[in-house]
C-alpha cells in the first residue's frame, strides 16, 4: 500500500455555520489538490468550538446529522473521491454532543464518534458524553485502513487509544481545540508508541482563542531494522499559522512493524488489570463536578 496522506486542516472557523460550510469545502478541495486521502478538521468546526452557557442558545447552535451542513461534506467527499472527517456540535438529547463524522470517498458514513471524555471541569459540562469508541474499515484509493477517533481530552486517557488499538485501529484521527504544548504533544507521541499505530491530530491556529496550532502526526514506528537506535515517530508538527499540513503514513511499514515489535497487544497481561474496571474514586482525585 502506498502512504496514506492525511491533510490536517489547521484553519480558523468562520462566524456562521454557512461560512464554515463554505470555507471547509474550499479547504477540502485544496487538500485534494495536495493529494490527500483524508481531510481532517479541528474540534467542533461547525461552530468554532463555542459552547454557550445558555442552554437554549447552545441547542440552537447544534447541528443535526440530517442537516445541510453534514450533507455538504458528504457530497464533497463523494465529489472529490476523498475521505472527510468533519467535526460538529451535534444536536442530541438531553444536551448536544462534541462529534466527528467520517465520510469515505464514496460519501458513505464510516462512523460518527462523540467525545467520551468531555471536559466536565469546563464548558463541556453542558454536553452529553459519548458512549463508546469505534473502529471501522476506511476504503481509500490505496486500500482499506482501519481507523478510529479520539477528540482532544480523550488523548489524556491511555485507555482511549488502548481500546481503539484492541479494536484493530491502525490510524487514529484526532480533532483538537486547546494549546498543544510539550506535554500534550508528548501524550500523543506516547499513545502512538505504546499502541504501534499512526495518530493524526489537528488543532486550530494560534489566532483562535486558547489554541496555538502545532497540529501533529506520529507514525508509531520507533525502531527500524536498519537503524542502531530508536527514532522520533513524529511525521509533521505544524507551526501556529493557518493552513493545510500534510502527513504521510507508511501503512505497509506500520503493519510490518506491528507484526514484529513488542508493544500493542503482543505481551499484555489483562488478567492483572482488574482494578482498571473499578469505578471507585478516592482522594486526591475526588471532584464535585465529575459525572458518573
Amino acid at each position: 500500500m502506498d502512504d496514506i496522506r492525511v491533510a490536517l486542516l489547521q484553519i480558523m472557523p468562520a462566524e456562521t455555520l454557512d461560512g464554515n460550510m463554505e470555507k471547509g469545502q474550499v479547504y477540502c478541495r485544496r487538500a485534494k489538490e495536495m493529494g490527500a486521502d483524508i481531510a481532517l478538521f479541528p474540534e467542533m468546526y461547525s461552530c468554532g468550538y463555542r459552547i454557550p452557557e445558555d442552554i437554549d442558545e447552545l441547542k440552537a447552535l447544534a447541528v443535526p446529522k440530517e442537516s445541510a451542513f453534514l450533507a455538504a461534506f458528504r457530497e464533497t467527499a463523494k465529489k472529490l473521491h476523498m475521505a472527510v472527517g468533519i467535526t460538529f456540535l451535534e444536536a442530541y438529547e438531553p444536551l448536544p454532543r462534541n462529534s466527528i463524522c467520517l465520510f469515505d470517498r464514496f460519501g458513505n458514513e464510516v462512523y460518527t464518534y462523540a467525545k467520551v471524555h468531555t471536559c466536565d471541569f469546563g464548558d463541556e459540562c453542558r454536553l452529553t458524553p459519548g458512549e463508546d469508541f469505534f473502529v471501522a474499515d476506511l476504503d481509500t484509493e490505496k486500500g482499506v485502513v482501519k481507523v478510529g477517533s479520539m477528540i482532544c481530552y480523550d488523548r489524556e486517557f491511555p485507555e482511549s487509544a488502548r481500546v481503539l488499538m484492541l479494536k484493530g485501529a491502525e490510524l487514529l484521527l484526532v480533532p483538537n481545540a486547546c494549546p498543544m504544548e510539550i506535554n500534550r504533544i508528548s501524550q500523543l507521541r506516547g499513545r502512538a508508541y505504546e499502541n504501534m499505530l499512526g495518530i493524526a491530530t489537528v488543532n486550530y491556529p494560534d489566532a483562535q482563542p486558547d489554541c496555538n496550532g502545532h497540529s501533529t502526526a506520529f507514525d508509531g514506528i520507533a525502531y527500524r531494522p536498519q537503524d542502531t537506535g530508536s527514532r522520533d515517530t513524529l511525521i509533521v508538527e505544524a507551526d501556529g499559522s493557518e493552513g493545510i499540513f500534510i502527513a504521510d503514513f507508511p501503512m505497509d511499514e506500520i503493519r510490518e512493524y506491528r507484526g514484529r515489535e513488542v508493544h500493542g497487544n503482543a505481551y499484555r497481561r489483562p488478567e492483572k488489570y482488574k482494578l482498571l474496571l473499578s469505578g471507585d474514586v478516592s482522594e486526591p482525585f475526588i471532584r464535585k463536578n465529575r459525572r458518573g
Side-chain angles (χ1 to χ4, degrees):
M1 175 184 283
D2 291 336
D3 291 359
I4 293 296
R5 175 163 287 191
V6 180
L8 307 175
L9 306 185
Q10 186 172 287
I11 59 176
M12 288 292 293
E15 294 182 358
T16 65
L17 181 66
D18 286 344
N20 284 325
M21 183 168 66
E22 293 171 7
K23 181 172 183 176
Q25 289 175 292
V26 168
Y27 273 85
C28 282
R29 289 192 291 271
R30 292 179 184 174
K32 180 63 178 181
E33 291 169 358
M34 298 168 75
D37 300 294
I38 305 170
L40 181 62
F41 284 85
E43 186 176 7
M44 239 159 62
Y45 178 73
S46 67
C47 61
Y49 193 79
R50 283 194 293 130
I51 306 174
E53 290 187 17
D54 183 86
I55 298 301
D56 290 337
E57 184 181 351
L58 173 67
K59 290 186 173 183
L61 198 61
V63 177
K65 283 189 65 178
E66 302 76 20
S67 64
F69 181 81
L70 269 291
F73 288 99
R74 179 191 298 273
E75 288 305 309
T76 296
K78 184 176 181 180
K79 182 177 180 180
L80 296 178
H81 215 53
M82 175 188 72
V84 175
I86 182 63
T87 59
F88 61 114
L89 177 64
E90 180 186 1
Y92 197 82
E93 291 297 333
L95 293 166
R97 304 196 302 185
N98 180 343
S99 299
I100 175 173
C101 184
L102 179 64
F103 294 114
D104 69 13
R105 62 193 175 111
F106 306 109
N108 301 315
E109 180 183 333
V110 179
Y111 59 70
T112 295
Y113 166 71
K115 186 175 185 178
V116 167
H117 297 99
T118 47
C119 298
D120 295 341
F121 47 82
D123 290 340
E124 289 188 356
C125 67
R126 296 187 289 280
L127 302 182
T128 299
E131 293 293 331
D132 202 358
F133 295 96
F134 307 109
V135 172
D137 290 342
L138 177 63
D139 185 336
T140 76
E141 290 181 339
K142 297 168 182 173
V144 174
V145 181
K146 291 187 178 297
V147 298
S149 283
M150 306 185 291
I151 297 177
C152 200
Y153 191 47
D154 285 328
R155 165 201 68 247
E156 305 204 14
F157 297 85
E159 296 86 351
S160 305
R162 185 63 97 194
V163 167
L164 288 163
M165 178 276 293
L166 291 172
K167 290 186 174 186
E170 303 172 300
L171 176 62
L172 303 186
L173 307 175
V174 186
N176 195 83
C178 71
M180 292 306 293
E181 41 75 53
I182 187 171
N183 297 296
R184 287 171 172 148
I185 292 173
S186 295
Q187 287 175 326
L188 292 163
R189 180 182 275 104
R191 301 294 88 86
Y193 170 75
E194 65 203 12
N195 293 295
M196 297 193 292
L197 43 67
I199 300 183
T201 303
V202 59
N203 196 27
Y204 288 101
D206 56 15
Q208 176 78 345
D210 203 34
C211 292
N212 68 336
H214 290 272
S215 300
T216 57
F218 296 91
D219 62 22
I221 302 171
Y223 310 102
R224 285 176 168 151
Q226 66 271 28
D227 298 336
T228 57
S230 63
R231 60 179 286 273
D232 189 351
T233 63
L234 182 70
I235 297 174
V236 63
E237 180 178 347
D239 58 15
S241 63
E242 181 173 43
I244 299 175
F245 297 86
I246 294 296
D248 290 323
F249 289 88
M251 296 311 305
D252 280 344
E253 187 178 3
I254 290 173
R255 287 167 177 169
E256 188 275 334
Y257 179 76
R258 300 181 100 205
R260 64 176 167 82
E261 271 298 340
V262 301
H263 309 295
N265 201 23
Y267 295 98
R268 290 176 68 247
R269 299 288 300 278
E271 71 276 8
K272 306 296 184 183
Y273 311 149
K274 293 178 182 178
L275 183 60
L276 294 177
L277 298 178
S278 171
D280 295 339
V281 181
S282 58
E283 292 292 359
F285 302 113
I286 294 175
R287 304 290 186 272
K288 292 181 179 180
N289 55 7
R290 181 183 187 272
R291 285 191 264 198

